[in-house]
Amino acid sequence: MDFETVEVTTDLLIVGGGMTAAGAAVESAYWAKKNGLKVVLVDKAAFDRSGAVAMGLSAINQYVNYGKGVNTIEDYVHYVRQDLMGICREDLVYNIARHVDSTVHLFEKWGLPIWTDEEGNYVNEGRWQIMINGESYKVIVAEAAKNAMAEAGGEIYERVFIAHPLMSADGSRIAGAVGFSTRENKFYIFKAKAVICAMGGAVHVFKPRSTGEGLGRSWYAPFNSGSSTYFTVQAGAEMTCQEVRFIPIRFKDAYGPVGAWFLLFKSKAISAGGGDYMVNRRDDLADWEPYASTKPLPANLRNHAGLLDVNDGLGPLYMETHEAIANLAEEYKDDKKAFKKKMKELDSEAWEDFLDMTISQAILWAAQNISPDVEHSEIMACEPYFIGSHSGASGAWVSGPPDLKGKGEIPDEWFWEDVGNMTTVTGLFAAGDASGASSHKFSSGSNSEGRYAGKQAVKWIMANNSLPEVNQADVDAATEKVLKPLKVFEEHCGLTTDPDINPNYIKPQQFMFRLQKIMDEYAGGVSSAFKTSKDLLERGLELMVFLHEDSKKLGANSLYELERCWENMHRMWQAEAHLRTLLFREETRWPGYYFRTDMPKMDQENWLAFANCVYDPKNDSWEMKKVPVKQLID
Ligand code: SFD
Ligand code: AMP
């Protein structure tokens, strides 16, 4: 295939077009316009409906509400610290929490319908979560970003897949990115002074529960394929919490979220044979004190309690929806009309929760004749995902906000270049799912962190206003590497009658299955009941060597398959970072996310620490680092 080369030069490049990138665009466009700078945003999909919020959401999960004195920023830091079993960058969490409410107010101003009560206050789902009519959430947030970019003369490229970072000639800083159009034969070379990486997390690294007829169905957006991790790892950035995957408990098979049921409807979850597992399994959580005594119980411990029952053959697990609805309607019981009205209201809220963000769950309920007010529904732990913005924590290690330097125990070396959210690679920023150890930012916190990174990147460019030199040889090498699967296929496809089966290449879907099998069986996926060990991980890493070898023989018959090839290449590197970090951390800190059978307990003395890793692309080697946790507040 012949490709047209398109070269785009800009001051700031934002890669990704999700909640984080939208925030980065709004803020950086504003500051760029003031300073005469150019901003370019590149999304592999259509900005309006890309990323995890494509289908919409029914709640905003981070709203601190400190303006009215309801909660403090410190309360939020405490919450995240406990939920992540003690491991979080408190400076980053604090920074997001102090900005998030203003972001939510902007969402409302831009037209997002947020539920309010009779007094005009937001309706809380839980302490930190507020309810929205969020089917068009992403469209609204993207529209604001598009307007801001248009106002500042910025450019937005949609359906351009970012495959690889571009480094400066001397390798000392980021210089841009390369990618290709998913619709036309165009190869893009983006050159920039600074880059914000915001390409979400990763799904389908592990074998999903849904195979065969349900293949591809997952809780997490299938568009998110580990590009943030690949981009930052290949640029040489230090990564953190690569072991802290997220396993959500979800309504079984269609993956409907449970937050509204637990928090808004105050529903109970049970196992068929064991009852209320979060209460009955309390004693089994003793090894994870002090976190097991906190309220709410950390997400992974909630999972662990349920999985203990499943492993004892006491399943299925159920969400007691009918009981929750009956409890909420109880006080209206004596007034027939009011009771009927309340039941109707609860019924529509229950359905809307799914229709706003996981439509397939509503379809599955309909298909299985489930009325949530009549009977309970099955729930189950999903396959593992990488999502640093939710209740996992994987991402790049970034600089702390400069004004927090010297505060609490936070060491000075966590701050560099006088800007926040810069990775250890000069000029490369990361936010949202792309930045690690700062979980529980969700959609609103990701957008806030994106806004912050956007402002910081412009500030940094103003202090370092030069376009890095790039070697043409590096650009040519990257172009050849990225387009290689098309060439491999073209050269060999005539050899067999079925182009999917060929000794000279592997198609991306087969490649993905092989990756998923390794991760499932050796890194504690669904079929291994989330259990792994040193021996299993070491064997998994041996098998990854072969997968890396075969990745050089990926074959693509079209642009569409070229995208699939690169998505799986990105997944493979996310997997590699995960395996290595699982092996490095010698304890079990997050049972319910994964369990090291050879080291089944938590080791506070030695492992109240971040497990970081750095890949050196020049020597093709990894370095593992233990970084002690430091607190910002008591
Ligand atoms: O039900 C490339 N999240 C929830 N947050 C909430 O606030 N409330 C909820 O209700 C939430 N719930 C929820 C959530 C996520 C999911 C998947 C479900 C339900 C089903 C979390 C948020 O969605 C999440 O925190 C943010 O979206 C994170 O933002 P960001 O920007 O870091 O990731 P993104 O939005 O997924 O965007 C990624 C972008 O990158 C693009 N991209 N572009 C170019 N080249 C490549 N190679 C690329 N690879 C990816 C994508 O197209 C996208 O634009 S609930 O759990 O509670
Ligand atoms: P989910 O739908 O599971 O993604 O949850 C949405 C929000 O509610 C997140 O902030 C979760 O951490 C929180 N959450 C979910 N279930 C519970 C629970 N049982 N107790 C406390 N918080 C929860």
Side-chain angles (χ1 to χ4, degrees), residues 121-159:
N121 297 314
Y122 293 157
V123 173
N124 274 83
E125 180 186 74
R127 182 172 177 189
W128 310 110
Q129 302 84 356
I130 54 173
M131 298 302 295
I132 58 174
N133 292 107
E135 186 279 336
S136 301
Y137 189 7
K138 181 66 201 301
V139 182
I140 292 165
V141 172
E143 185 186 40
K146 284 196 266 186
N147 290 342
M149 289 285 278
E151 181 95 354
E155 290 169 15
I156 296 175
Y157 291 81
E158 294 180 296
R159 300 192 176 88

Side-chain angles (χ1 to χ4, degrees), residues 61 79 125 129 250 257-259 262-263 296 302 390-391 440 442:
N61 284 347
Y79 165 58
E125 180 186 74
Q129 302 84 356
R250 290 294 176 257
V258 297
F262 277 131
L263 303 176
R302 298 199 293 270
H390 203 291
S391 313
H440 289 278
F442 303 101

Side-chain angles (χ1 to χ4, degrees), residues 1-3 180-181 184-187 479-493 505-506 508 552-563 565-566:
M1 273 192 216
D2 289 331
F3 275 78
F180 53 89
S181 162
E184 306 165 289
N185 289 1
K186 285 187 178 171
F187 192 80
T479 311
E480 198 186 321
K481 182 175 169 184
V482 171
L483 298 180
K484 191 177 166 198
L486 290 169
K487 204 170 147 202
V488 169
F489 179 83
E490 211 171 285
E491 268 173 26
H492 302 287
C493 66
Y505 57 74
I506 180 164
K552 297 189 177 79
K553 294 192 174 169
L554 273 161
N557 69 7
S558 62
L559 282 175
Y560 178 75
E561 274 201 353
L562 184 65
E563 185 182 0
C565 286
W566 275 96

